[in-house]
Amino acid sequence: MTTLAPPRAAATSGPTRRRGSRRRTAAPYAFLAPALTLFTLFLALPIGYAVYLSFRTEIVQGLGLGSGARQEVWAGFANYTRALQDPEFLASVGRVAVYGLLLVPTMLGLALLFALLLDSRRTRATGFSRISIFLPYAVPAVIASLLWGFLYLPRVSPFYYVFDQLGWDVPEVMSSGLVVFAIANIGLWGGVGFNMIIIYTALKAIPTELYEAARLDGASELMVALRIKIPIVMPSLVLTFLFSMIATLQVFAEPMTLRPLSNTISTTWSPLMKVYRDAFTRGDIYAASATSVVIALATFAFSYLFLRLVQDGRAFSQESK
């Protein structure tokens, strides 16, 4: 008789499979580890530290010299109350609201118009046109602000020289009443191309059979755009509006760059400029942290309410079916 050896391979296959399963489970986390580490170090921790500082304040005894003269204490919601009652902060919010009302509808309207024109059958040289419209977005905001700033100055601007030769009395764009238009023009120049690319990409994803059926029914290009293209790309319009609204609430580079060129832009023209002044000019990092947290919460609230509004409406009706 022959005796059968015990199935050693079968006995060891269980732990080996478990180890292989653990490795496969841990592999995605290993790939995500660098991104998660950078996110934690450079985004999550600074946000948490800013929230911590917003509930603190500093008490100065005497001249503030020597050890123990400055003491950091708990302040509660005092920094938030002071930020929400600050007239400079409220005025900056009003200026940014006017800036957004001027910029966002105009920018999205032009982006939609250019996307529809590029998607039309009669358009020629679409590649060159698309790059030309998108190219201003590739220029950094600081460089674009400097370029436009010198074009705004009457003494160095070629436009004002031409107007002077023609005898036209043109008001200064950097005056107190028109400076918001000057800043909005810079944002418009750089933002149209980015939003146009998003809308144009959504248009290219629409099946061409819809256009052919509509044209067979006698629909013109205008009717195709109004009845088919715009309703289908409505989610992309919602996305671009959300991005534009967030960028409007966080406007900083344009007015900060133009400020040395004119005395009509204050150090608190926008909410983020007030945060910068409080933190780096006055050295009050506690008030600056509270104001920045208020701006972040307002941005989140506006974004959440807007998304709930459009989800309850017709913008995402196709996705919900």
Side-chain angles (χ1 to χ4, degrees), residues 127-164:
F128 174 78
S129 301
R130 187 169 61 247
I131 293 175
S132 300
I133 298 172
F134 179 77
L135 191 60
Y137 176 75
V139 180
V142 175
I143 303 301
S145 301
L146 285 175
L147 293 174
W148 280 104
F150 283 105
L151 292 177
Y152 291 154
L153 295 178
R155 294 185 178 181
V156 297
S157 174
F159 300 109
Y160 279 95
Y161 175 78
V162 174
F163 295 151
D164 184 65

Side-chain angles (χ1 to χ4, degrees), residues 32-42:
L32 289 174
L36 293 175
T37 302
L38 294 175
F39 175 83
T40 303
L41 291 178
F42 297 103

Side-chain angles (χ1 to χ4, degrees), residues 107-313:
M107 180 171 58
L108 296 185
L110 289 176
L112 177 61
L113 176 62
F114 289 145
L116 292 173
L117 291 176
L118 290 174
D119 193 58
S120 177
R121 293 187 305 171
R122 301 178 180 179
T123 304
R124 299 292 181 268
T126 56
F128 174 78
S129 301
R130 187 169 61 247
I131 293 175
S132 300
I133 298 172
F134 179 77
L135 191 60
Y137 176 75
V139 180
V142 175
I143 303 301
S145 301
L146 285 175
L147 293 174
W148 280 104
F150 283 105
L151 292 177
Y152 291 154
L153 295 178
R155 294 185 178 181
V156 297
S157 174
F159 300 109
Y160 279 95
Y161 175 78
V162 174
F163 295 151
D164 184 65
Q165 296 298 317
L166 294 175
W168 295 353
D169 187 12
V170 180
E172 294 187 15
V173 183
M174 297 286 285
S175 61
S176 59
L178 299 177
V179 66
V180 64
F181 293 93
I183 299 175
N185 176 65
I186 301 175
L188 178 69
W189 184 73
V192 169
F194 172 78
N195 295 289
M196 180 272 298
I197 289 295
I198 295 178
I199 300 172
Y200 180 73
T201 304
L203 287 173
K204 300 304 291 183
I206 300 176
T208 58
E209 292 81 3
L210 295 177
Y211 304 152
E212 296 174 356
R215 294 187 181 102
L216 288 176
D217 290 339
S220 62
E221 288 292 331
L222 179 61
M223 295 304 297
V224 170
L226 295 178
R227 298 296 181 87
I228 298 178
K229 294 183 178 181
I230 294 179
I232 292 180
V233 301
M234 188 58 66
S236 297
L237 290 174
V238 171
L239 178 66
T240 54
F241 182 86
L242 182 61
F243 286 166
S244 302
M245 184 176 62
I246 294 174
T248 298
L249 294 174
Q250 298 178 354
V251 60
F252 176 77
E254 293 84 354
M256 194 69 181
T257 306
L258 291 178
R259 185 177 169 272
L261 305 179
S262 174
N263 57 2
T264 59
I265 302 176
S266 64
T267 56
T268 59
W269 193 89
S270 70
L272 284 186
M273 289 180 65
K274 183 182 182 302
V275 172
Y276 180 86
R277 187 205 63 177
D278 292 343
F280 299 104
T281 302
R282 295 185 174 181
D284 190 357
I285 59 174
Y286 310 101
S289 299
T291 306
S292 62
V293 172
V294 169
I295 296 172
L297 292 177
T299 303
F300 174 79
F302 278 122
S303 304
Y304 177 77
L305 293 176
F306 175 72
L307 289 178
R308 287 298 302 268
L309 179 64
V310 298
Q311 285 176 356
D312 295 337

